[in-house]
Amino acid sequence: MTAPACALLVAFGALAVADWVATATDRTRVRYLTKPAALVALLGVALAIDPAEGPARAWFVVALACSLAGDVFLMLPSDRFVEGLGAFLLAHVAYIVGLLVAGVSPGLLVLGLAVVAVAVVAIGRPLLAGVRRGSPELAVPVTAYVGVISAMVVCAIGTGDGVAIAGAALFYCSDALIGYGRFVRSLPGSPVAIMVTYHVGQALLVLSLL
């Protein structure tokens, strides 16, 4: 890893921790700075590292840029959930392409499908049931999102890279917590858990490029 990438990774870590603290203490104004700044720093890491998978880096950069847009939409005072959902859906599509470019094993893809199928049954079914009960107009976009993020996790498993798999799994957990809290019921401590799993997951996906 290059020196600029290391410096940006440290900056990302500091901003991420600051955002977790601001989330825990409900400091919304602080989060207007820390939340997008953390992704900007991580985007800088992706641009500055010397990755083993050079072609995949471009798609990961696109994914991070879309994630940054999603972060901004979801933190606005007005409800921009659909716009944020769309931005993150595009982020996962970009990650899927990047992971495929990096190389996947057909056998591991089958394993990934089996693992993710279990997760969709355990997590996705109650989530989608909650969407249909409370916000039926969002059933189609949320279902599409669940499908795309699930495909991203399958592709991460398909690479056989433990760092990418851990990153994708944490990203999945973060989004599952968001969906569960919005459409099923809120869980104690979930706002902080959402951000910790999100930031660590994104960072691991970027580091999987090395």
Side-chain angles (χ1 to χ4, degrees):
M1 184 182 291
T2 64
C6 288
L8 286 164
L9 186 60
V10 170
F12 163 76
L15 287 164
V17 171
D19 190 61
W20 304 345
V21 173
T23 301
T25 55
D26 200 23
R27 297 183 181 182
T28 303
R29 291 185 178 180
V30 174
R31 299 203 67 219
Y32 284 157
L33 171 63
T34 56
K35 189 178 182 183
L39 257 290
V40 169
L42 190 59
L43 185 58
V45 174
L47 290 168
I49 61 173
D50 186 14
E53 300 293 345
R57 187 231 302 264
W59 288 104
F60 277 45
V61 168
V62 172
L64 288 166
C66 291
S67 297
L68 175 59
D71 279 346
V72 172
F73 280 127
L74 293 180
M75 69 187 289
L76 292 174
S78 57
D79 189 354
R80 299 290 182 178
F81 178 78
V82 174
E83 292 86 347
L85 192 75
F88 277 111
L89 186 147
L90 293 175
H92 293 308
V93 170
Y95 271 132
I96 287 169
V97 178
L99 291 164
L100 291 174
V101 168
V104 295
S105 161
L108 289 175
L109 284 176
V110 172
L111 174 62
L113 281 170
V115 171
V116 172
V118 173
V120 170
V121 171
I123 301 171
R125 286 183 63 184
L127 170 60
L128 293 174
V131 174
R132 288 190 291 269
R133 284 195 305 270
S135 304
E137 72 281 2
L138 295 178
V140 171
V142 172
T143 300
Y145 186 85
V146 170
V148 172
I149 190 174
S150 297
M152 188 271 287
V153 177
V154 170
C155 290
I157 294 172
T159 66
D161 184 326
V163 177
I165 294 169
L170 286 171
F171 207 154
Y172 193 94
C173 289
S174 177
D175 282 356
L177 286 169
I178 291 174
Y180 199 85
R182 184 180 180 95
F183 299 113
V184 183
R185 64 182 177 88
S186 60
L187 299 172
S190 62
V192 176
I194 287 167
M195 294 314 302
V196 171
T197 51
Y198 171 67
H199 283 137
V200 177
Q202 290 269 37
L204 289 176
L205 283 166
V206 170
L207 293 176
S208 73
L209 291 169
L210 292 172

